[in-house]
């Protein structure tokens, strides 16, 4: 592999600039030359002449010469601390898969420490082999039973049919609203609620956490397709009942007259959920007196 020529009775090496040798091959040369008693400077000069720009650095040549003189035989690198020299096997993939199924919020760092594999190997298994990706859980107010889900589908189809028949006239006349508790606490961030999932599996969901020890206030909020109509906060220690909701509807009627004159005369389609205060006789009378019609809403939604 080395081109040798004689100039004036002396031998010289012609550099092979395109010779790309592996580190293991060059270390073998260093071990051979060290056994012949070649010094570090001369050893580097010869390797520079042969391997050109692909040679090892001077300090690397000297270091490996020292190791071989001290009795080292192996040409491979030493294993780095904490590094697991393991290849990806079906058994390893199955172990990672079981860990994720047992805890969807397990982190890559936890997996690599539990199974003693590198972080890069863990990433490869998670994303390339198992096709996992980590996403945030979707917040839902309630877990619905099968009957409620079927009811939601039927009502949605009926609303869609009415929209096809009336188009913009249906949407522009809808007024809707609901109540919610405003809690005095910091919710978990999206990053804290992320979970692993397959590309084809449904997104995770989480229920609204109730913090009974924190302060809270109930808010009533009503709007139509263009803007809010009424935002109302209840007094501390009170909640929504039939009488209180009837008073809220009266306030909503006055707010519509003040903010959107003529809206009541054109007709309003009032949409609210099936909570008990909303379906009470007192609330139904208030809605009828306002000259509005109602459409049934899906369970646990506005």
């Amino acid at each position: 592999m080395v081109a040798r020529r004689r100039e004036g009775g002396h031998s010289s090496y012609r550099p092979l600039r395109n010779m790309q040798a592996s580190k293991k091959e060059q270390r073998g040369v260093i071990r051979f030359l060290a056994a012949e008693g070649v010094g570090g400077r001369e050893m580097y000069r010869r390797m520079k002449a042969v391997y050109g720009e692909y040679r090892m650095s001077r300090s690397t040549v000297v270091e490996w010469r020292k190791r071989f003189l001290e009795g080292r035989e192996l040409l491979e690198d030493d294993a780095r601390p904490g590094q697991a020299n393991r290849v990806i096997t079906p058994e390893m993939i199955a172990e990672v898969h079981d860990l994720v199924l047992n805890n969807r919020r397990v982190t890559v760092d936890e997996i690599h420490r539990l199974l003693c594999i590198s972080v890069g190997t863990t990433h490869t298994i998670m994303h390339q082999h198992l096709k996992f990706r980590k996403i945030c859980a979707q917040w839902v107010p309630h877990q619905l039973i099968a009957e409620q889900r079927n009811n939601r589908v039927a009502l949605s189809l009926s609303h869609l049919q009415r929209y096809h028949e009336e188009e913009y006239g249906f949407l522009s006349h809808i007024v809707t609203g609901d109540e919610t508790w405003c809690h005095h606490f910091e919710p978990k961030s999206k990053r804290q609620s992320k979970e692993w999932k397959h590309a084809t599996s449904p997104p995770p969901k989480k229920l609204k956490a109730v913090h009974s020890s924190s302060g809270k206030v109930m808010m009533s909020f009503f709007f139509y397709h263009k803007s809010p109509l009424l935002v109302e906060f209840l007094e501390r220690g009170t909640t929504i009942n039939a009488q209180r909701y009837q008073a809220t509807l009266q306030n909503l009627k006055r707010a519509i007259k003040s903010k959107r004159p003529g809206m009541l005369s054109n007709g309003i389609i009032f949409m609210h959920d099936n909570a008990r205060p909303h379906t009470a006789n007192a609330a139904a009378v208030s809605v009828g007196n306002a000259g509005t019609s109602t459409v049934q809403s899906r369970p646990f939604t506005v």
Side-chain angles (χ1 to χ4, degrees), residues 27 30 56-66:
R27 289 168 186 172
I30 295 173
M56 289 182 172
S57 65
R58 183 192 299 270
S59 60
T60 303
V61 171
V62 173
E63 175 62 26
W64 279 93
R65 175 181 177 275
K66 178 182 176 182

Side-chain angles (χ1 to χ4, degrees), residues 245-271:
Y245 190 62
Q246 184 180 19
T248 299
L249 293 179
Q250 294 299 324
N251 294 336
L252 174 62
K253 181 179 179 180
R254 287 191 289 269
I256 294 175
K257 287 182 178 180
S258 174
K259 297 180 179 180
R260 295 292 181 267
M263 189 174 181
L264 289 175
S265 59
N266 292 332
I268 290 177
I269 303 172
F270 191 62
M271 181 183 293

Side-chain angles (χ1 to χ4, degrees), residues 277-294:
H278 300 175
T279 57
N281 291 332
V285 171
S286 296
V287 172
N289 292 339
T292 64
S293 60
T294 60

Side-chain angles (χ1 to χ4, degrees), residues 191-253:
R191 180 178 293 275
Q192 291 174 310
S193 65
K194 282 187 173 181
E195 298 182 7
W196 292 105
K197 67 176 288 291
H198 287 292
T200 57
S201 59
K205 298 179 181 179
K206 63 178 181 178
L207 298 178
K208 181 179 179 181
V210 178
H211 297 255
S212 57
S213 60
S214 303
K216 60 182 180 180
V217 61
M218 179 167 282
M219 178 186 71
S220 297
F221 182 75
F222 294 88
F223 61 96
Y224 79 127
H225 72 292
K226 286 187 177 180
S227 64
L229 295 172
L230 177 66
V231 179
E232 188 175 73
F233 293 94
L234 271 67
E235 298 80 6
R236 185 177 181 85
T238 61
T239 185
I240 289 290
N241 53 31
Q243 290 73 28
R244 187 65 183 82
Y245 190 62
Q246 184 180 19
T248 299
L249 293 179
Q250 294 299 324
N251 294 336
L252 174 62
K253 181 179 179 180

